[in-house]
Amino acid sequence: MTKVTRITPEQIRETNRQIIYEYIYRHGQVSQQEISSALKMSRPTVASNLSAMEHEGLIQAALPERRRDMPGRKPVMWSVSSCYRIAVGVEIVKHMVKIAAVDLYGRALKITKSYTEYENSETYYEHISTMVKDFINSLSLKDNILGIGFALQGLVSEDGTTIIYGEILKCTGLRIDVFAKWLDYPCKFIHEPDGAALSELWVSPELENAIYLSLSEHLGGAMIKDRELSNGMHRHTATYEHITVCPGGELCYCGKRGCYETICSKVALLRGEEPDEFFTKVRNCEPEASERWENFLRYLGRLIAHLHLVADTKFILGGHLAPYFTENDIKILYHYVRERTPFTEDDDYILPSKMPSHNITIGAALPYIIDFLTYAGRD
């Protein structure tokens, strides 16, 4: 005989509270009556949960601007306290560190950037940790911090504690302890393109499956499946940058020659120029810059064509170069894709990023926000 598991009154209260919190979170500003009607809960049940959550600071009450001129008694409107908990993202690249504080809606409260040279040393890690502490202290919200995510150019262990492959920064084997020992908050690593892809998922609720191409300082990628990041059994799914495209070509940081990284990264394209300077030349049809950009698009189209044959899905163009793509550039990409695929399809699967700015830094913070929202409202 199957044993019946009984749901306790405490579990019901927790569930009701989380459902109410999620409803308020999704709808922005709602009244008690709207919550009761939408969720089919009694008004006393809703009222007691609202009172408890307001007391804890999870939600707040206000008279909305849009209803102040309405006759009669105005209903109290409830909204989530967006800074009840916040998370911090830190993006570390070779010549720069960027720090962002993110609220419960994934909005950046503050972003700061420092041109600091990376070095694998105790002095550097202590210095960056001090920068993060000073940044947090400047927010006057240090008791609200959920955790700190560090986005690095390296593959990360499943538990976020170790860089398992970090040839760009020469930091393979680096442990999160180098930062955590200076900071009084949970800390973990995230692979840079994964952070960018998480940001994309955050602003694209309709996105289910895609290949995210991070066209930044270095080429990177992420595989999105059923709104989750898929990293594979060895944590290197979507490392498209190391597919050999020009045997015997330029030396890649991985030690091989002719990888896509040597052609389709920001470093390879710009050759030390500033992006604005380079793309001004491209749009003015200056021959040398135009030829470089055309070559970049040709090889990027080849990469998308090959991946498209393996995974018939959407492609998101993200990273530092994404804002510079025009509609015509994307048309050219489709042309190069068609040269290498046998299928005639609509131009509906190469999409510009909806979040091209600060995506990595914000994405490094988002895992803490996502975890909190999964259980928000529970006692």
Side-chain angles (χ1 to χ4, degrees):
M1 182 175 178
T2 303
K3 184 178 179 180
V4 177
T5 302
R6 297 187 182 279
I7 300 174
T8 67
E10 181 62 28
Q11 288 173 317
I12 293 172
R13 282 194 295 272
E14 281 192 1
T15 300
N16 285 342
R17 200 163 111 144
Q18 185 165 3
I19 290 170
I20 292 169
Y21 183 88
E22 288 174 354
Y23 184 83
I24 298 170
Y25 180 88
R26 289 196 309 272
H27 292 84
Q29 272 197 347
V30 289
S31 69
Q32 178 181 315
Q33 179 58 50
E34 288 170 331
I35 298 168
S36 181
S37 298
L39 301 180
K40 296 181 171 52
M41 290 183 186
S42 70
R43 295 194 71 170
T45 295
V46 173
S48 65
N49 278 284
L50 292 176
S51 178
M53 286 191 285
E54 182 186 28
H55 178 73
E56 291 179 29
L58 278 159
I59 61 174
Q60 56 194 9
L63 289 176
E65 294 285 341
R66 69 177 189 275
R67 298 195 181 187
R68 285 184 178 167
D69 296 331
M70 293 173 61
R73 186 177 178 182
K74 302 173 184 66
V76 172
M77 304 297 285
W78 296 94
S79 61
V80 163
S81 300
S82 61
C83 291
Y84 175 74
R85 292 290 182 267
I86 63 177
V88 173
V90 182
E91 178 185 353
I92 295 176
V93 295
K94 192 170 291 186
H95 308 296
M96 183 269 293
V97 176
K98 190 188 294 185
I99 310 172
V102 176
D103 73 4
L104 290 176
Y105 281 98
R107 298 175 298 215
L109 301 171
K110 181 179 180 179
I111 295 175
T112 186
K113 183 163 61 173
S114 170
Y115 292 97
T116 303
E117 289 289 321
Y118 175 82
E119 59 179 58
N120 193 347
S121 71
E122 180 85 358
T123 301
Y124 174 85
Y125 301 127
E126 182 182 2
H127 174 63
I128 299 304
S129 299
T130 299
M131 285 174 54
V132 173
K133 282 192 285 189
D134 291 344
F135 176 85
I136 290 172
N137 289 335
S138 74
L139 300 171
S140 301
L141 291 165
K142 63 180 181 180
D143 293 335
N144 299 29
I145 304 293
L146 292 165
I148 306 166
F150 290 83
L152 267 72
Q153 297 164 319
L155 301 181
V156 177
S157 62
E158 189 171 1
D159 62 5
T161 64
T162 308
I163 302 296
I164 60 175
Y165 182 85
E167 281 301 304
I168 294 174
L169 297 178
K170 302 300 180 186
C171 63
T172 299
L174 188 69
R175 300 277 300 174
I176 195 63
D177 301 347
V178 297
F179 296 111
K181 68 181 179 180
W182 305 105
L183 300 163
D184 296 326
Y185 307 98
C187 299
K188 60 184 172 185
F189 288 129
I190 185 170
H191 187 206
E192 189 183 70
D194 285 356
L198 279 177
S199 293
E200 197 68 31
L201 282 168
W202 187 266
V203 298
S204 306
E206 78 289 349
L207 187 63
E208 293 290 334
N209 302 292
I211 289 174
Y212 184 94
L213 294 173
S214 182
L215 307 172
S216 291
E217 196 81 5
H218 296 276
L219 178 63
M223 176 74 77
I224 298 169
K225 184 172 176 56
D226 299 327
R227 292 194 59 77
E228 299 283 343
L229 298 185
S230 175
N231 286 305
M233 64 184 294
H234 297 112
R235 306 294 294 172
H236 60 67
T237 294
T239 51
Y240 315 120
E241 62 270 29
H242 297 302
I243 297 173
T244 301
V245 63
C246 293
E250 294 291 326
L251 182 66
C252 177
Y253 64 80
C254 73
K256 307 295 190 293
R257 289 189 176 274
C259 299
Y260 272 108
E261 159 69 20
T262 65
I263 300 171
C264 293
S265 65
K266 179 181 168 185
V267 168
L269 173 67
L270 299 185
R271 301 175 189 173
E273 286 186 73
E274 290 298 316
D276 288 347
E277 177 188 356
F278 173 76
F279 282 100
T280 296
K281 294 177 181 178
V282 170
R283 304 314 169 199
N284 289 335
C285 300
E286 294 187 24
E288 194 273 340
S290 297
E291 183 180 349
R292 262 196 278 163
W293 182 233
E294 185 76 15
N295 191 58
F296 180 95
L297 293 174
R298 183 183 300 111
Y299 277 96
L300 182 60
R302 182 181 298 187
L303 173 60
I304 292 173
H306 292 162
L307 297 177
H308 190 47
L309 290 171
V310 176
D312 183 9
T313 188
K314 289 182 170 65
F315 290 82
I316 309 295
L317 303 180
H320 300 157
L321 293 178
Y324 295 96
F325 276 78
T326 65
E327 288 186 16
N328 189 59
D329 293 330
I330 293 178
K331 285 181 182 178
I332 293 170
L333 277 182
Y334 278 118
H335 167 73
Y336 287 130
V337 171
R338 287 196 192 93
E339 282 189 342
R340 294 183 172 274
T341 60
F343 307 111
T344 303
E345 298 164 324
D346 292 335
D347 295 353
D348 60 357
Y349 57 91
I350 302 177
L351 309 172
S353 169
K354 290 184 179 180
M355 193 173 182
S357 300
H358 311 304
N359 51 7
I360 296 166
T361 325
I362 291 172
L366 285 177
Y368 290 104
I369 300 295
I370 293 167
D371 286 348
F372 174 81
L373 292 175
T374 301
Y375 301 103
R378 294 190 181 183
D379 291 322

